[in-house]
Amino acid sequence: MPSFEVLGLRDELLRTLEEEDVWTPTAVQESVIPALRRGGNLVARASAGSGKTLGYTLGVLDRVEVPGLGKDRDAQAVLRVLVLVSTPEEAERVALSMVPYAQAVGVQVASGGPGWGTSPGAAEVLVAVPSDVLAAVRAADVKLDEVGSAIVDGASAMVDLGEWSEVDALLDLIPREAQRVVFTAAIPQVVEDLIGRRVKRALRYPAEPAISGREQAAPTERIGFVIASEREKLELLARQLRQVGEASSPPIIFCRNDERAAELAEQLTIRGFIVGQPNEAEADVAIAAGGVTRAELTEEVTGEPGQTISFDVPADAATLRDRHAGDPDAAVLIEPREIAHLREIAGQAGARVDAAAMPLDLAGSAAGLEAFRREIRSAIAAEDLTAQMLVLEPLFDEFTAAEIAAATAALLRRRQPPATRQESATPSQDKRSEPTSRKAAAGPAPVTWARLYVGVGSREEIRPGDLVGTLAGEADIPGSQIGKIEILDNFSIVEVQADVAEKVIQAVNGTTIKGRSVRVDYDRGGPARRPPTRGGSPPRRTTRRPPRENG
């Protein structure tokens, strides 16, 4: 098996890997670290769970040279590495994971996330949300002149969360010779367009096929997954072990490394489970780590081997296959942010596995409830949920996934108009026929957009998510009816679908965002105009749009 030594990493990083009990690179790390060490640009389709964060951490820090370390170090650090992530919570997690390796090579890390002591201007590595970095640059708190590497971690999620224009601006501001790296779960056209303009001559991972359009082989196996926070995993595993029949072979639990396996074995032993080998009849569970395969563990098992469960998501398709091939009951415990990664490796040719959420037995057969469930199934299958998982992720440490899903469903159903709920449950024959036939004949109406002026801007530290949450929540509209958002110093311009523009104005005008009362009106500079109101037209805003900055 490959090792980090063969990748040519500096001794300080190799020692830290040993201290962190990390011995074998994942497929992503094995492929991207050599390219990053050479300083080349990179575009990688990879998600949480693949080892991408450690991959770019090692590859970029291996080439960072900082003069004046130790006692003679300057008080004001020079920013060398910029890492852009989707949310403040993600910034906190990534920064913490980078710290041991950054300290090994003598550099400091700062995070734009909550509770971080090192200021952005006092570190060589900055991990933050694009809009926060851009605001710090404009305030002269962060300087990009000496940045040697810029990493965009989670590009498709940034698009969904309204941070993409800031990414574009920041990549334009860093030095032309700086290394540019993009990691993304998916590559929509807007991301591909930016790559073409800002990430020139980039190596692609995985490599693009020489012949596109080739049909993929049908899956030969199926694997289930259960979404759980780190806190919930042990409880779910213990519950599953209690349900295993006495005559069954013990389940085999796979962990990402030996230290993780030892910790899990200790926790299960404390709870009264007997940890042993797969061929021990008296054992309740067997635990494996590293590169051990299911076939190797079950060579001496008489009868049917036990269920295989991944306590940590497999890093690549080969690991997924080695752990679970041949087990119809295989399951993976994954955190919400790891769903895209699991589906990616399961769909690769080397895995030939169909990954599906383990179903829950829910009661109730009313037509309205079934229609609601069909909508949820359709959204799970068709939508890119990466950004939504990042939005909800902080809640998973406080509540179970089931509680969050139930609360979300309650909010959605409460916002649905009563007439709509009644029609979906017991539609009349007239409403099923004539309007449907007219729509089928006319085809879907084109979507038109209206530009709205919202009287808060960057000075109030407003972010796109604040505007989307307020407009969607107060006006009771889905986020899909909100389009492009432009945040300026004193106000913002938000595009909404024209048929809900008046509803948004009436619902949001006079409410508060971050403690400030907000005025909402049609943007006078756009094509849409608000009809006259009683007492005359609304006052024209006097704030003028500032001129665009160069770059």
Side-chain angles (χ1 to χ4, degrees):
M1 296 183 66
S3 64
F4 286 103
E5 286 84 353
V6 302
L7 300 180
L9 293 168
R10 57 207 289 185
D11 292 338
E12 300 93 328
L13 294 176
L14 292 175
R15 285 196 297 269
T16 307
L17 286 166
E18 292 181 8
E19 294 169 359
E20 296 292 317
D21 194 30
V22 181
W23 303 94
T24 305
T26 67
V28 169
Q29 294 161 3
E30 187 180 3
S31 297
V32 305
I33 288 176
L36 297 179
R37 290 183 63 245
R38 293 192 297 267
N41 292 345
L42 174 72
V43 175
R45 195 177 69 251
S47 308
S50 64
K52 61 180 176 60
T53 304
L54 180 57
Y56 65 68
T57 296
L58 296 173
V60 170
L61 292 182
D62 186 76
R63 53 189 295 268
V64 170
E65 298 292 342
V66 180
L69 295 179
K71 295 181 180 180
D72 298 331
R73 178 175 179 162
D74 295 334
Q76 184 68 23
V78 176
L79 183 61
R80 307 284 182 174
V81 178
L82 175 64
V83 183
L84 303 176
V85 295
S86 305
T87 65
E89 293 78 15
E90 183 74 0
E92 178 91 353
R93 178 170 49 247
V94 170
L96 287 173
S97 71
M98 296 182 74
V99 165
Y101 305 96
Q103 290 178 341
V105 298
V107 300
Q108 286 192 341
V109 179
S111 167
W116 200 268
T118 307
S119 64
E124 290 84 8
V125 180
L126 173 61
V127 187
V129 176
S131 56
D132 292 344
V133 177
L134 195 56
V137 170
R138 288 171 174 168
D141 294 331
V142 170
K143 299 185 183 300
L144 305 179
D145 308 50
E146 300 296 327
V147 169
S149 298
I151 297 105
V152 180
D153 185 358
S156 59
M158 294 179 197
V159 173
D160 291 340
L161 294 175
E163 295 278 347
W164 197 238
S165 60
E166 288 84 353
V167 174
D168 197 343
L170 289 169
L171 291 184
D172 186 46
L173 292 174
I174 66 173
R176 184 180 299 273
E177 66 277 7
Q179 180 182 46
R180 290 163 167 82
V181 181
V182 176
F183 282 86
T184 181
I187 308 182
Q189 189 57 48
V190 64
V191 174
E192 194 65 68
D193 291 343
L194 181 139
I195 291 171
R197 291 183 290 106
R198 306 290 189 203
V199 192
K200 303 289 187 180
R201 297 181 297 278
L203 177 70
R204 296 272 182 157
Y205 174 87
E208 299 293 336
I211 302 176
S212 60
R214 180 177 297 175
E215 293 187 3
Q216 189 174 7
T220 58
E221 297 188 56
R222 187 177 183 84
I223 188 170
F225 63 83
V226 178
I227 301 173
S229 68
E230 183 66 24
R231 179 178 56 86
E232 296 173 314
K233 284 186 177 183
L234 183 60
E235 178 185 346
L236 289 172
L237 181 58
R239 188 186 309 165
Q240 177 68 11
L241 293 178
R242 284 195 294 269
Q243 296 174 357
V244 176
E246 294 183 0
S248 304
S249 298
I252 303 172
I253 314 302
F254 289 94
C255 299
R256 61 172 168 258
N257 55 39
D258 293 336
E259 181 179 3
R260 178 83 156 171
E263 292 174 355
L264 179 59
E266 181 180 2
Q267 290 296 325
L268 291 176
T269 301
I270 291 173
R271 286 161 173 77
F273 296 101
I274 301 175
V275 179
Q277 298 298 319
N279 59 352
E280 295 180 12
E282 67 276 10
D284 295 316
V285 60
I287 299 179
V292 182
T293 69
R294 177 176 184 261
E296 293 171 344
L297 290 172
T298 57
E299 284 179 352
E300 301 178 5
V301 172
T302 58
E304 189 67 24
Q307 179 188 21
T308 55
I309 301 174
S310 279
F311 196 73
D312 301 305
V313 66
D316 47 50
T319 304
L320 177 68
R321 182 186 63 245
D322 291 343
R323 288 183 181 180
H324 302 295
D327 180 10
D329 299 319
V332 181
L333 303 181
I334 60 174
E335 297 181 46
R337 61 195 179 94
E338 297 170 340
I339 292 178
H341 167 66
L342 178 62
R343 285 187 165 142
E344 171 72 19
I345 63 174
Q348 292 174 8
R352 302 192 305 279
V353 174
D354 179 26
M358 288 184 152
L360 298 177
D361 185 14
L362 299 177
S365 58
L369 294 178
E370 287 303 315
F372 183 63
R373 289 169 184 153
R374 282 197 299 271
E375 287 187 66
I376 295 176
R377 293 188 186 100
S378 177
I380 292 174
E383 298 287 341
D384 179 4
L385 301 179
T386 305
Q388 312 312 320
M389 287 296 180
L390 291 171
V391 171
L392 295 174
E393 187 171 8
L395 298 176
F396 284 99
D397 288 331
E398 304 175 49
F399 310 99
T400 66
E403 289 173 323
I404 295 171
T408 305
L411 291 174
L412 290 174
R413 290 180 58 75
R414 189 180 305 141
R415 291 177 179 180
Q416 190 177 8
T420 304
R421 287 200 295 266
Q422 184 177 358
E423 290 168 10
S424 63
T426 57
S428 65
Q429 183 62 35
D430 292 340
K431 291 180 179 179
R432 283 200 301 264
S433 57
E434 184 179 359
T436 303
S437 61
R438 286 179 181 174
K439 288 181 180 179
V447 176
T448 57
W449 298 86
R451 290 165 56 89
L452 300 185
Y453 162 87
V454 183
V456 289
S458 59
R459 290 187 179 179
E460 289 79 28
E461 298 183 350
I462 294 297
R463 299 178 54 197
D466 301 322
L467 295 173
V468 171
T470 299
L471 270 61
E474 295 292 340
D476 193 16
I477 62 173
S480 59
Q481 291 187 304
I482 301 174
K484 183 178 179 182
I485 296 176
E486 184 179 4
I487 299 178
L488 302 171
D489 288 344
N490 300 314
F491 62 93
S492 302
I493 302 299
V494 182
E495 290 184 354
V496 300
Q497 291 187 8
D499 57 347
V500 299
E502 191 67 28
K503 181 180 180 181
V504 171
I505 293 172
Q506 296 295 334
V508 183
N509 201 20
T511 61
T512 60
I513 301 179
K514 288 195 173 181
R516 174 168 176 173
S517 180
V518 180
R519 185 167 74 86
V520 182
D521 195 359
Y522 284 101
D523 177 34
R524 298 295 180 180
R529 296 291 186 270
R530 182 177 181 179
T533 59
R534 295 180 182 179
S537 302
R540 183 183 298 271
R541 58 180 170 86
T542 57
T543 305
R544 295 184 178 273
R545 188 190 300 264
R548 292 185 179 272
E549 300 179 5
N550 292 334

